[in-house]
Amino acid sequence: MTAVDTGMAQALNAALRDALGTDERVVVLGEDVGRLGGVFRVTDGLRDAFGDRRCMDTPVSEAGIAGLAVGMAMAGWRPVVEMQFDAFAYPALEQIASHMAKMRNRTRGALPLPLVVRIPYGGGIGGVEHHSDSSEAYYAHTAGLKVVTPATAADAYSLLREAIDDPDPVIFLEPKRRYWTREPLELPVRTEPFGTAAVRRAGSDATLVAYGPSVAVALEAAQLAAAEGLDVEVLDLRTLVPLDDGALTASVRRTGRCLVVHEAQGFAGVGAEIAARVQERCFDALRAPVLRVTGFDIPYPPPLLEDAHLPGVRRVLDALHRLLPATARRAHGIPASTGNSAPGRTFLLPDLGEGLTEAEVLEWKVAVGDPVEHDQVVAEVETAKSVVTLPSPYAGTVTVLHCRAGEAVQVGAPLLTVGEVAEALGSGAVLTGYGTSTRPGRRPSSRSATTAGTACVADAPAEVERSATGIPLGPAADKFVRGHRDTPAVTIWADTEADSLLAARTTHGTGLMPLLARACLDALAAFPELNSRVDADRQELVRLPQMHLGFAAQTDHGLVVPVVRNADRLPLDELAAELQRLTALARRGTLPAEHLTGGTFTLNNYGGFEVDGATPILNHPQAAMIGVGRITDRPWVKDGRVEVRKVVNVSLTFDHRVCDGGTAAGFLRHVVDSLTSPGKLGSCS
């Protein structure tokens, strides 16, 4: 046979026809599937070929249809049910969730339930309410169901045949907007089985995850992105249950970025589950947050608003630009422009509805060189219907106004271009000496450093200015400013003998960090004000019930602050093991997400930098931080005599809103007493 252009509806019809002809237990039933051949003609001709006992029309009762299918499957048939539209299946949810999904488990596997529920789903056909829902999350969340959604005619045929042969109930979601899209196909065909995703387009810069009707949108967006030099991989999940975790993880680990696209609402959608799995399995490989492009969290809109509601190519491209901002694209050798002559992001005149094709710019609210924020009004335009204000979808600086006030502009034509704000590089942490550099290991050249140190910019000759190297401030720089501005932080300190601390290290066979950590945790138990945060909006002090201890760990890529969860519950030996484990993970760059955030108090040991003391910035929103300097030999008065002793500086930086100086001093003294008392350190175990 030779390949012929085949639509998805034809492929599904062929799969049903072949299944009916191969297995006499297969029965097709539903509303109008017989004489009419189904609303979308997927069952066309089956009644004539196999009779009305194999392809039967049912009453208009979805719950009854589903219940009948359960009974037939229990009796040994293989029913294939058609629900006319996605939202029409909701009356059958009780049968699907309570009986269809549970029967195999209820009988401890003794009774299989081989049935298929075919549901045309999704938008794109101008259908009204109850005719365009994307209901996959309901079924994927129901244990006991397999959930399948093909994106190609070949998969439609193969996956439906596999669904009919499967011993478990299968929800088969058919993207109705793809019914008439044709592709060269030779039937019968068998593609990859359930639980196998397909890479529809290979790429190296980002992974675009889609399924069902969104796969075609993802492929078109990836093709347009390729014109900008962005190499996007498109992964078609094919089946949501079972989900191909292996392919998903491998793709994201290879590209380092992930964008999920689906038509359903974003809140609690399948994309949220995918994002969570990617975060859990690929956190150390991610170079940007996982993003989603979805339908809006509203009931399905009227047909005129359908295009605005559904994730289109433009929205997917915008998300790809957020995923790989201009600075990162330049680092990849990718042009920062989006096809226009001016660099940055170009705002196109959006579709203003009601069939309007143009608008007149009445007034610009911004000028070239002005900074703009997301959703800031940039222009006022007049259509044949009304005057409309246009908010900017981008933040940055206006570089070009593409038309003048009084000029008519077509829908889709450029209005203005916004130069993107440079992506801040750096770690974002707030420990002293940490987080404000650019990439690890990069420092200004000696020439640049000399220039910066010997001349003021205002007075420097032109050739000196040209020789200077500009290095962008990291995200911690802004955090430092906000921390000083918003938090009344105070630092107090005390020098103390370290002999007992060093002796305890030998006695317990552990490092200094577990002993320092235990002293801090004991002090927090005695002074819980320091294990709290300030709710500025409510003007409240929130005391935290858990003690999640952050600590500084030096790695090849800078200082990292791992977090020991519920550190106060660990005895000394387990606390030491956990500190060692998290430090090793941090140095390998494989620290889990739950150990990177959520700290309630930080232990900052800067003695490893050969520093005696410091006044660190608080790790917002924490209220306090202990700092420990290096242990040095110093003159020390003991019993009226001056001796050389091991001495260490211990400092406490605290938010003055959470306590007064007396409480803070009491906390610091508690820590110092623990460090100087062998008995107290010994009892910590």
Side-chain angles (χ1 to χ4, degrees):
M1 293 180 62
T2 58
V4 297
D5 286 343
T6 305
M8 183 178 287
Q10 290 176 282
L12 292 167
N13 180 273
L16 291 171
R17 187 179 297 273
D18 291 350
L20 286 164
T22 301
D23 190 343
E24 292 184 353
R25 296 173 298 172
V26 176
V27 178
V28 175
L29 64 153
E31 298 164 12
D32 297 323
V33 299
R35 290 185 177 87
L36 181 63
V39 173
F40 298 100
R41 302 300 185 265
V42 172
T43 58
D44 190 37
L46 299 183
R47 178 177 178 272
D48 294 337
F50 298 97
D52 57 9
R53 299 189 64 177
R54 300 284 305 283
C55 180
M56 63 185 74
D57 290 322
T58 65
V60 182
S61 174
E62 287 76 15
I65 297 169
L68 175 61
V70 171
M72 294 180 71
M74 293 174 66
W77 297 90
R78 290 183 175 268
V80 181
V81 170
E82 177 179 297
M83 298 289 175
Q84 282 192 338
F85 286 92
D86 27 58
F88 287 12
Y90 296 155
L93 271 176
E94 196 280 332
Q95 287 289 333
I96 293 172
S98 298
H99 304 290
M100 196 179 292
K102 304 296 190 296
M103 191 59 65
R104 187 85 179 269
N105 182 70
R106 187 176 296 149
T107 62
R108 300 299 184 264
L111 190 64
L113 207 70
L115 66 86
V116 179
V117 180
R118 293 181 40 250
I119 304 177
Y121 90 119
I125 64 167
V128 295
E129 187 181 16
H130 304 313
H131 292 73
S132 298
D133 278 15
S134 294
S135 49
E136 63 268 24
Y138 299 131
Y139 305 113
H141 187 68
T142 304
L145 300 176
K146 293 180 178 176
V147 183
V148 178
T149 173
T152 68
D155 269 353
Y157 179 94
S158 180
L159 293 174
L160 183 54
R161 290 297 306 273
E162 185 177 356
I164 294 171
D165 294 337
D166 199 279
D168 290 310
V170 178
I171 305 297
F172 198 92
L173 301 171
E174 301 166 3
K176 62 175 76 80
R177 71 155 87 182
R178 305 295 299 167
Y179 274 145
W180 305 280
T181 303
R182 296 181 172 273
E183 64 187 74
L185 186 61
E186 182 179 333
L187 295 175
V189 64
R190 283 298 180 134
T191 57
E192 295 297 318
F194 285 2
T196 306
V199 176
R200 300 297 181 192
R201 185 186 189 278
S204 59
D205 291 328
T207 297
L208 190 46
V209 182
Y211 54 86
S214 296
V215 173
V217 176
L219 285 169
E220 185 179 352
Q223 184 177 359
L224 292 174
E228 304 176 19
L230 186 58
D231 192 18
V232 176
E233 180 156 297
V234 176
L235 185 69
D236 176 6
L237 295 178
R238 301 175 70 247
T239 59
L240 304 181
V241 181
L243 183 69
D244 192 347
D245 275 311
L248 176 64
T249 299
S251 178
V252 176
R253 283 193 168 275
R254 186 166 56 252
T255 65
R257 294 176 173 86
C258 181
L259 173 64
V260 188
V261 182
H262 61 64
E263 290 187 6
Q265 295 96 319
F267 184 79
V270 170
E273 173 64 21
I274 295 169
R277 287 173 178 252
V278 169
Q279 182 81 354
E280 291 167 358
R281 293 161 171 79
C282 306
F283 182 84
D284 57 325
L286 288 174
R287 287 176 280 177
V290 181
L291 299 182
R292 291 175 290 160
V293 179
T294 70
F296 298 116
D297 294 326
I298 59 172
Y300 201 86
L304 283 176
L305 299 176
E306 187 177 53
D307 287 342
H309 173 72
L310 295 175
V313 173
R314 184 73 260 169
R315 286 175 60 194
V316 175
L317 280 174
D318 287 344
L320 286 172
H321 292 147
R322 289 169 54 205
L323 201 64
L324 198 69
T327 51
R329 296 204 296 276
R330 286 193 289 271
H332 278 66
I334 301 169
S337 66
T338 56
N340 302 287
S341 58
R345 308 289 298 282
T346 298
F347 178 25
L348 309 179
L349 179 65
D351 185 348
L352 301 172
E354 301 188 60
L356 300 171
T357 60
E358 68 174 20
E360 179 186 343
V361 178
L362 293 180
E363 180 185 0
W364 283 109
K365 302 295 185 180
V366 293
V368 172
D370 287 351
V372 294
E373 303 289 339
H374 284 288
D375 297 326
Q376 177 182 334
V377 173
V378 293
E380 189 176 83
V381 301
E382 184 176 21
T383 70
K385 299 286 186 179
S386 63
V387 174
V388 179
T389 56
L390 298 179
S392 173
Y394 311 123
T397 302
V398 178
T399 57
V400 178
L401 299 180
H402 292 277
C403 55
R404 297 183 299 274
E407 186 175 338
V409 181
Q410 297 292 315
V411 170
L415 284 176
L416 82 166
T417 296
V418 175
E420 293 177 296
V421 176
E423 182 187 24
L425 301 175
S427 64
V430 295
L431 298 183
T432 297
Y434 165 44
T436 54
S437 64
T438 55
R439 291 180 180 166
R442 292 186 61 184
R443 295 289 184 270
S445 67
S446 58
R447 178 182 179 185
S448 301
T450 302
T451 302
T454 56
C456 296
V457 173
D459 301 326
E463 61 272 14
V464 175
E465 289 190 37
R466 285 194 296 269
S467 68
T469 299
I471 300 174
L473 292 174
D478 181 60
K479 206 168 187 181
F480 290 152
V481 174
R482 287 187 288 110
H484 274 295
R485 181 188 64 210
D486 299 335
T487 304
V490 178
T491 299
I492 59 176
W493 60 88
D495 290 337
T496 184
E497 292 181 84
D499 294 322
S500 297
L501 177 63
L502 295 174
R505 178 179 64 177
T506 302
T507 300
H508 297 288
T510 184
L512 294 178
M513 281 295 288
L515 298 170
L516 295 170
R518 176 54 65 191
C520 292
L521 294 168
D522 288 349
L524 287 174
F527 297 89
E529 298 92 335
L530 281 302
N531 193 66
S532 62
R533 61 178 175 83
V534 173
D535 188 332
D537 293 334
R538 297 186 178 184
Q539 289 296 298
E540 292 179 350
L541 176 65
V542 181
R543 293 191 179 180
L544 304 172
Q546 302 88 11
M547 294 185 194
H548 300 324
L549 179 69
F551 67 97
Q554 182 66 30
T555 72
D556 291 339
H557 45 278
L559 276 173
V560 178
V561 187
V563 175
V564 180
R565 315 289 294 189
N566 297 305
D568 56 313
R569 302 179 187 175
L570 301 178
L572 183 61
D573 55 345
E574 293 183 18
L575 179 60
E578 183 68 355
L579 289 166
Q580 187 175 17
R581 183 182 76 89
L582 295 179
T583 300
L585 291 174
R587 288 172 177 168
R588 291 199 300 268
T590 58
L591 201 62
E594 64 269 22
H595 290 292
L596 278 170
T597 59
T600 62
F601 183 91
T602 295
L603 168 59
N604 185 3
N605 181 9
Y606 35 76
F609 295 106
E610 297 299 313
V611 174
D612 295 342
T615 57
I617 302 295
L618 287 179
N619 200 358
H620 182 78
Q622 296 174 22
M625 176 188 297
I626 277 284
V628 181
R630 63 175 176 169
I631 298 175
T632 59
D633 291 329
R634 296 190 204 171
W636 192 259
V637 177
K638 183 73 172 179
D639 298 328
R641 299 189 305 272
V642 177
E643 302 175 359
V644 175
R645 291 291 185 108
K646 298 291 186 183
V647 177
V648 64
N649 177 272
V650 182
S651 66
L652 172 68
T653 299
F654 65 99
D655 185 337
H656 217 324
R657 293 174 295 179
V658 306
C659 66
D660 57 23
T663 300
F667 178 92
L668 181 61
R669 178 49 54 190
H670 195 290
V671 173
V672 168
D673 288 346
S674 295
L675 298 181
T676 55
S677 172
K680 288 187 177 181
L681 286 175
S683 66
C684 295
S685 59

